[in-house]
Amino acid sequence: MKTTKIITIAVIAICAMLVCSCDTKQNAISQLEKLSKELYLESSNYTEADWQDAKVKYEQIKINLEKHAAEYTSDEKKYIKKTQLECEAYFAGNGV
């Protein structure tokens, strides 16, 4: 009985780790998409502090994307670059 319980816990732990590792790769892309949409929808009302916060978020997202760079497909890399350029255009247009 104990062995079955230990094996079950081990299988659950392994599955959880696999799900988390995949989520992390996609999570960075999702964060970039969210920031890009936020800039598109709300940047016209941003204060200087909002721009600084957005820039800090963007830099952290870039770090997360770099951590998983080897895992992205060619299409994902193109999409990431396009979305990064959109964000950077907002920053450049507002002197950030």
Side-chain angles (χ1 to χ4, degrees), residues 14-94:
I14 290 170
C15 289
M17 286 188 290
L18 290 173
V19 169
C20 290
S21 66
C22 293
D23 182 50
T24 306
K25 171 189 158 188
Q26 185 58 41
N27 191 31
I29 295 173
S30 297
Q31 289 174 344
L32 181 63
E33 289 173 334
K34 182 179 176 186
L35 179 61
S36 178
K37 288 178 185 174
E38 181 180 311
L39 291 171
Y40 174 75
L41 295 172
E42 301 175 22
S43 65
S44 61
N45 299 320
Y46 273 15
T47 64
E48 184 64 31
D50 292 331
W51 280 112
Q52 293 305 318
D53 289 343
K55 187 67 174 174
V56 169
K57 281 183 196 176
Y58 180 67
E59 294 301 325
Q60 184 58 49
I61 291 168
K62 281 177 53 177
I63 291 168
N64 290 338
L65 289 167
E66 290 170 10
K67 286 180 186 176
H68 302 286
E71 300 172 40
Y72 294 125
T73 65
S74 170
D75 288 340
E76 287 173 325
K77 288 178 182 179
K78 287 177 188 175
Y79 179 75
I80 289 166
K81 187 63 176 172
K82 175 186 161 288
T83 309
Q84 285 179 316
L85 289 173
E86 290 171 359
C87 291
E88 290 170 6
Y90 281 106
F91 292 126
N94 290 282

